[in-house]
Amino acid sequence: MVMYEKTAEHFGKKFKDLPEGHLLVNLGPSHPATHGILQNVIQIDGERVVDTESVIGYVHRCFEKLGERYDYNQFLVCTDRMNYVSTPLNNIGWILTVEKMMQIQVPDRVTYVRMIISELSRIMDHIICNGIMGVDLGAFSGLLHLFHHRENIYQILEKLTGARLTTTFCRVGGMERDIYPEFQSEIKTIIKGLKPALDEFEELLIRNKIFNERTAGIGGLSAERAIAYGFSGPNLRAAGVPWDVRKDDPYMFYDQVDFDIPVGGDGSALDRTLVRMEEMRQSMKIIEQLIDGIPEGPYHADVPHTFLPPKDKVYHNMEELIYHFKIIMHGVKVPPGEYYMATEAANGELGFYVVSEGEKSPWRVHVRRPCFWYYQAFPELVKGGLLADTIATMSSLNVIAGELDC
Amino acid sequence: MKDTITEYINSRFSDVLLPQRDINTNLLYFSIQKEALPTVVQALKDHPEFAFTYLNDLTSIDWLGKREPRFEVVYLLRSPKNKHFRLQLRVPVGEGEEVPSLAEIFPAANWPEREVYDLMGIPFSNHPQLERLIMPDNFVGHPLRKDYPLEGPGQDYLIEDLLTIHVSEDITG
């Protein structure tokens, strides 16, 4: 089956009458600098970008359709595969939406742990984004310098959830299991090591003259245009707009912790990097406020129809066996309704819009993924710039193909 | 905020408002006629007090077998000026009907509208580039529709191909 025949025709039409000396360059779909399977067809005049068309959909897995087939707990597994650089943030976004629809109040202990893991994931995501940006521009040591700390966070996730990448963190009504005894002390050790490492990273990469000159003033967008394009997260804040879902529409206990929202100026690639650097420090600040105060108590809400009962009870008690069976076979029962819940993922506002008709699966699931909204501005960001600058722009946007195509 | 905006929409756009269903939701929402969509959105965006300047989300629902008309396109607007208040506009659409594009008012609407067109098959009039976004150009059908076969029409060919290959293959050497 020839799948992309018509696409080639389409490009032929769009870029048919190229002026003398103009060239058509295919950046991607499989290119180390495209951060996933993304294609950019770029028309260049010498080194200058004249026009661009972005093509997405190469890793589309129709998660929204799967959401209409799977039950609410099963869809949690799909959210792992969206932004695979910071999986727990997607998991938590989904679980919070379902809990909101079911009006479940989780114990404070669960919320504390979820917030700590959220912020660790944000750090993990920003390490990759800033580190890989250095790699794309020819500086490898920055990434290696912080990768060790990212690995430490992965080990926490591994101990907590049993998986490194596909964490499937949390369950409706709580967490799959309680935290392990060394959880707090290990996170404190990580933060202690990460703080000086971030300063060193900044000295090493961001204060580097070459990096600075290749990113300052590149791929910028004014605040008005960024808002018009639906930007969110660090990319919007880099343009000087102090919006953050954690502050504007607080969920969990974000209204009770003290942290600042870093903002940039011209929204350029350098500003985005700097905003991410500062966000990592703010995340550590949040974790430090929470880590010692994790309250004692159960790791899930007392909702038997929702949460799998402990195994020893299932083996000896008929009621618990029935609950167990019902949850596995029929899933959780979500009342009819339509909810939109937004959380601040590492990339920006991650929203889940869920339509329930009271059945086993949602009638409709829609994911508002942050990448999707700002990647459409890519042609405007790179127009008139140099071909080499498209790489810096793309890296700084933090486009994740798994999330973009969904 | 909820009351003032409801009062404003009810008084200003009473002629384009459609009867609402009783939905259990965390959003304030209004059902409006599709022809009036750009006018309403522009008015909400330009209003000095409400200032819904941010297109938060854009998607669609297929109500096949549940409601008439079949589709609903859902817009989520956000007003940063009013503590990031969110308002939902819903536009019922029948099969084959077009919805006016918002790409001129919000450049952000470009890709989400293409996505709705691609996956749900709802066309948008005056869209600058109404092409498939996620699926390949020669893909048949719209996969997010409720009546789209879950295994996809391509699946049949695949199995057939496999059978043909095995039948005609000479394995005796």
Side-chain angles (χ1 to χ4, degrees):
Chain A
M1 196 196 287
V2 186
M3 288 296 277
Y4 299 106
E5 200 178 22
K6 215 179 154 202
T7 312
E9 255 173 42
H10 160 75
F11 287 125
K13 245 186 285 166
K14 180 165 179 183
F15 298 108
K16 196 171 69 183
D17 300 313
L18 289 188
E20 185 74 29
H22 283 213
L23 251 166
L24 215 53
V25 176
N26 253 305
L27 184 70
S30 283
H31 188 280
T34 52
H35 294 217
I37 310 174
L38 306 163
Q39 187 184 12
N40 285 304
V41 184
I42 305 175
Q43 181 189 342
I44 48 170
D45 175 16
E47 282 284 311
R48 294 268 159 207
V49 176
V50 181
D51 200 4
T52 315
E53 177 150 350
S54 306
V55 185
I56 64 168
Y58 290 101
V59 279
H60 178 59
R61 294 144 295 175
C62 228
F63 277 158
E64 293 180 4
K65 185 84 170 176
L66 284 176
E68 297 170 11
R69 262 317 258 187
Y70 286 177
D71 71 37
Y72 292 84
N73 273 324
Q74 284 172 326
F75 188 68
L76 181 66
V77 178
C78 291
T79 60
D80 280 336
R81 277 93 178 151
M82 285 172 189
N83 184 347
Y84 36 70
V85 186
S86 51
T87 42
L89 279 165
N90 309 318
N91 300 155
I92 291 169
W94 171 250
I95 288 296
L96 287 177
T97 315
V98 180
E99 281 172 0
K100 193 174 182 135
M101 294 182 83
M102 297 177 73
Q103 313 279 344
I104 291 175
Q105 184 70 41
V106 296
D108 288 356
R109 184 181 182 81
V110 177
T111 308
Y112 267 68
V113 176
R114 282 180 184 176
M115 280 175 76
I116 291 167
I117 295 296
S118 290
E119 295 312 315
L120 282 176
S121 309
R122 199 180 312 280
I123 293 172
M124 229 160 64
D125 195 295
H126 289 351
I127 286 178
I128 277 286
C129 179
N130 285 356
I132 296 280
M133 186 164 169
V135 175
D136 285 346
L137 299 180
F140 192 44
S141 37
L143 175 75
L144 285 185
H145 194 67
L146 285 185
F147 219 77
H148 164 65
H149 298 276
R150 192 171 184 275
E151 170 61 28
N152 289 343
I153 301 175
Y154 259 138
Q155 281 180 2
I156 298 262
L157 287 177
E158 193 178 354
K159 276 192 185 174
L160 190 66
T161 68
R164 290 159 62 87
L165 187 70
T166 51
T167 51
T168 321
F169 184 61
C170 294
R171 293 291 183 276
V172 179
M175 295 183 294
E176 191 237 349
R177 60 181 96 160
D178 205 355
I179 53 173
Y180 56 92
E182 312 87 47
F183 181 74
Q184 280 133 306
S185 61
E186 281 185 9
I187 287 178
K188 280 187 205 164
T189 317
I190 288 178
I191 289 185
K192 208 173 160 190
L194 188 57
K195 270 183 183 167
L198 280 181
D199 296 338
E200 283 161 16
F201 178 82
E202 209 162 325
E203 287 292 319
L204 182 73
L205 182 75
I206 297 176
R207 298 207 193 291
N208 179 303
K209 196 167 185 290
I210 301 170
F211 182 84
N212 240 290
E213 287 188 1
R214 284 206 60 190
T215 52
I218 301 296
L221 203 62
S222 69
E224 291 80 43
R225 290 301 284 168
I227 292 171
Y229 267 116
F231 274 44
S232 57
N235 293 337
L236 179 65
R237 292 191 277 275
V241 187
W243 294 1
D244 190 316
V245 185
R246 290 174 294 174
K247 290 265 189 201
D248 304 330
D249 188 7
Y251 54 99
M252 299 203 276
F253 293 148
Y254 278 114
D255 48 350
Q256 293 166 32
V257 287
D258 174 39
F259 67 101
D260 301 317
I261 305 174
V263 285
D266 60 352
S268 66
L270 181 63
D271 272 20
R272 290 184 196 123
T273 314
L274 289 171
V275 164
R276 286 199 176 89
M277 288 305 292
E278 188 51 37
E279 266 186 28
M280 285 195 257
R281 297 194 175 101
Q282 293 299 326
S283 288
M284 287 194 285
K285 195 174 158 187
I286 295 173
I287 294 171
E288 279 173 340
Q289 289 171 55
L290 296 170
I291 195 77
D292 284 325
I294 300 179
E296 290 298 322
Y299 61 93
H300 59 84
D302 187 16
V303 275
H305 290 280
T306 305
F307 204 85
L308 280 184
K311 275 286 180 291
D312 57 328
K313 285 191 177 169
V314 175
Y315 292 147
H316 299 107
N317 192 333
M318 194 61 203
E319 282 292 307
E320 309 283 347
L321 181 66
I322 293 170
Y323 287 148
H324 192 285
F325 180 79
K326 286 283 281 181
I327 294 166
I328 296 291
M329 296 306 287
H330 302 144
V332 296
K333 196 135 183 74
V334 177
E338 301 187 11
Y339 278 75
Y340 177 84
M341 167 101 193
T343 52
E344 183 75 23
N347 252 345
E349 179 176 330
L350 176 75
F352 286 98
Y353 176 61
V354 186
V355 179
S356 164
E357 290 279 290
E359 292 155 359
K360 178 188 162 192
S361 314
W363 181 257
R364 175 88 170 91
V365 180
H366 174 68
V367 192
R368 190 241 188 243
R369 54 255 197 224
C371 280
F372 183 73
W373 290 73
Y374 52 66
Y375 189 48
Q376 58 178 327
F378 187 69
E380 188 170 320
L381 293 174
V382 298
K383 201 169 187 170
L386 296 173
L387 180 63
D389 293 342
T390 58
I391 303 294
T393 307
M394 190 154 190
S395 305
S396 68
L397 280 177
N398 196 13
V399 181
I400 310 277
E403 181 183 88
L404 179 73
D405 290 350
C406 214
Chain B
M1 182 67 192
K2 256 187 178 174
D3 299 333
T4 46
I5 186 83
T6 311
E7 201 185 310
Y8 170 75
I9 291 187
N10 279 334
S11 61
R12 174 99 194 264
F13 301 108
S14 56
D15 49 333
V16 295
L17 282 185
L18 297 170
Q20 315 235 58
R21 276 183 292 118
D22 185 25
I23 305 174
N24 169 25
T25 176
N26 61 341
L27 300 163
L28 177 67
Y29 79 96
F30 294 94
S31 275
I32 56 168
Q33 285 173 7
K34 56 180 183 304
E35 293 80 13
L37 180 75
T39 328
V40 178
V41 171
Q42 187 77 57
L44 288 171
K45 189 188 176 190
D46 295 343
H47 195 284
E49 236 173 85
F50 301 133
F52 283 95
T53 51
Y54 189 79
L55 181 67
N56 205 159
D57 200 5
L58 196 167
T59 186
S60 57
I61 310 168
D62 182 1
W63 290 113
L64 183 70
K66 294 231 174 201
R67 283 181 195 103
E68 280 294 329
R70 180 175 170 180
F71 300 107
E72 239 178 345
V73 184
V74 180
Y75 300 84
L76 195 60
L77 303 176
R78 194 160 110 188
S79 166
K81 201 179 167 189
N82 295 293
K83 294 182 180 167
H84 294 264
F85 184 81
R86 291 192 180 93
L87 167 79
Q88 197 185 46
L89 295 176
R90 306 169 73 99
V91 180
V93 194
E95 179 114 41
E97 290 176 5
E98 283 194 336
V99 184
S101 167
L102 291 188
E104 270 187 25
I105 305 171
F106 293 110
N110 189 322
W111 273 22
E113 281 180 352
R114 276 177 72 185
E115 189 190 38
V116 169
Y117 166 70
D118 184 1
L119 302 180
M120 203 67 99
I122 303 170
F124 290 84
S125 53
N126 299 325
H127 191 283
Q129 191 191 357
L130 196 65
E131 293 163 12
R132 282 193 181 274
L133 178 71
I134 287 170
M135 309 308 284
D137 287 359
N138 58 352
F139 189 85
V140 181
H142 304 286
L144 266 188
R145 286 188 172 199
K146 286 283 179 188
D147 52 1
Y148 190 83
L150 278 178
E151 284 163 3
Q155 199 70 19
D156 309 335
Y157 298 118
L158 236 162
I159 294 164
E160 244 173 55
D161 287 350
L162 283 173
L163 287 173
T164 325
I165 292 162
H166 284 283
V167 167
S168 60
E169 210 172 31
D170 184 9
I171 52 166
T172 53

